[in-house]
Amino acid sequence: MKEIGFEKWIVLEDFHYLPEETRKDFAVALKAFHESSSFTFIIVGVWLQKNRLVQFNGDLSGRITTINADRWLRPELEEAIDLGEEKLGIKFDSAFRSVLLSSCYDSIYVVQESCLRACIKNDVHETQRPTRSVGVGESENGIIKEVVDKQSARFSDFLTNFAAGFGQTDLEMYRWLLVPLIGASTEALEDGLQYRHIRRALSRVHPRGSSLNAGNVTQALKGVASLQVQQGVKPLVLDYDQSLKRLNIVDRSFLIWLVQQDKEDLVDMIDVSMDVLQSLEAEEEEE
């Protein structure tokens, strides 16, 4: 690359789909690139863990910069809407805009798709002259539901396939990992489920009860991403942050879809009794 005068940045997209050993090997190679060349790598992956690459190779500490591209603040979401309005010569109704920003769970995808649907419903297919209003009288939550429901089949398949795990096993860990996820509050899902919360929940709902080995829980959580890669889940829905010991929903659309569903339907998808979920929720309320 030096011989041909290569001066561009090198972008590695979908890094999270590589086998873990390959990612670890590349993390080692990155240090060599850093020390012996001026090449800059941009690595794009689906995870919320800031030090994922450092976890693979501690020598990268201080040598990389992490950018959370999925973190959108409300002013940034408003700016995205403003730019769209300017380009299209439109003005979204203030009520539509307000509810959309309050209900999108800070997802830029949901904001853009909802605005797109509002434009289509108002026959806005090109720049308007003069400026016209869009979204007046529209059901904001209804549009958000339409956007998320487009992926309902994908998310239903995800739950069913994830519950099956890597194959039939005695513990069926991946099926039972979904129970505390389905039973969690919206706030807890946004923050991510802590390992101790998952461990405590499984001790209550898993057939093995309190005798369930902690190592089995940890091993299953570490395999969350690998399972989805093997099953061809794109983009990934869940990821386990080993440093913070937290199970995160990394697909914000899934979070919105999940809180909109009837929990009885969800446990039916993963072949677990509703009584199990109700007993877990009752115990957590008592605490």
Side-chain angles (χ1 to χ4, degrees):
M1 285 168 31
K2 287 181 178 178
E3 288 178 359
I4 64 172
F6 187 87
E7 296 180 350
K8 298 183 181 296
W9 290 357
I10 304 166
V11 181
L12 301 180
E13 174 70 284
D14 291 338
F15 190 73
H16 51 282
Y17 290 126
L18 293 173
E20 184 169 346
E21 286 304 313
T22 304
R23 284 179 281 158
K24 288 180 178 178
D25 290 342
F26 194 80
V28 174
L30 274 178
K31 178 175 178 289
F33 273 102
H34 182 275
E35 292 182 341
S36 60
S37 77
S38 59
F39 298 129
T40 299
F41 286 81
I42 299 175
I43 298 175
V44 184
V46 176
W47 59 75
L48 296 181
Q49 189 174 343
K50 288 184 177 180
N51 61 344
R52 178 62 60 89
L53 290 176
V54 175
Q55 178 185 316
F56 291 146
N57 179 12
D59 287 335
L60 291 178
S61 180
R63 292 180 165 92
I64 61 174
T65 298
T66 301
I67 300 172
N68 185 353
D70 198 43
R71 181 174 180 268
W72 286 74
L73 302 177
R74 179 154 179 157
E76 295 168 335
L77 295 171
E78 291 178 337
E79 183 182 359
I81 296 176
D82 291 341
L83 290 171
E85 288 178 332
E86 181 183 343
K87 295 291 185 182
L88 285 171
I90 60 175
K91 198 71 177 176
F92 287 105
D93 177 64
S94 59
F96 172 87
R97 180 182 178 121
S98 177
V99 175
L100 173 59
L101 289 168
S102 300
S103 309
C104 69
Y105 290 86
D106 298 332
S107 168
I108 184 61
Y109 165 77
V110 171
V111 168
Q112 290 177 319
E113 284 293 311
S114 297
C115 289
L116 171 62
R117 282 183 170 265
C119 286
I120 292 174
K121 287 186 175 185
N122 286 265
D123 293 323
V124 175
H125 302 285
E126 59 186 0
T127 301
Q128 305 296 296
R129 294 291 184 268
T131 300
R132 57 175 291 198
S133 296
V134 170
V136 178
E138 293 287 353
S139 171
E140 303 83 4
N141 288 322
I143 284 186
I144 291 177
K145 190 174 187 305
E146 287 178 19
V147 169
V148 177
D149 282 351
K150 282 200 313 181
Q151 303 188 65
S152 186
R154 180 170 76 89
F155 292 144
S156 297
D157 287 345
F158 162 74
L159 287 178
T160 303
N161 295 333
F162 188 90
F166 289 102
Q168 187 66 36
T169 62
D170 291 336
L171 296 178
E172 295 189 307
M173 288 302 302
Y174 292 100
R175 182 183 313 282
W176 292 102
L177 278 179
L178 289 173
V179 175
L181 186 81
I182 292 173
S185 66
T186 304
E187 294 74 18
L189 292 174
E190 287 189 280
D191 293 337
L193 299 184
Q194 291 286 352
Y195 169 82
R196 63 177 179 273
H197 172 85
I198 296 172
R199 177 83 175 89
R200 186 169 63 247
L202 291 181
S203 69
R204 294 169 177 167
V205 302
H206 194 278
R208 293 283 179 90
S210 58
S211 64
L212 181 66
N213 191 298
N216 294 127
V217 179
T218 300
Q219 183 179 3
L221 287 168
K222 288 182 177 179
V224 162
S226 298
L227 173 60
Q228 294 170 89
V229 171
Q230 177 177 301
Q231 294 178 341
V233 177
K234 293 184 178 181
L236 298 188
V237 174
L238 302 175
D239 183 59
Y240 181 62
D241 185 332
Q242 294 185 42
S243 62
L244 296 178
K245 293 188 175 181
R246 180 183 295 159
L247 181 64
N248 295 308
I249 294 178
V250 291
D251 187 332
R252 304 290 288 182
S253 298
F254 177 71
L255 170 60
I256 303 174
W257 178 83
L258 194 65
V259 300
Q260 291 178 346
Q261 305 307 303
D262 184 288
K263 291 190 176 182
E264 189 167 357
D265 292 336
L266 294 174
V267 293
D268 186 57
M269 290 178 196
I270 65 174
D271 198 20
V272 171
S273 169
M274 184 63 186
D275 293 339
V276 171
L277 183 62
Q278 290 174 337
S279 65
L280 175 62
E281 292 176 335
E283 289 183 27
E284 290 185 346
E285 285 178 5
E286 290 178 2
E287 294 181 355

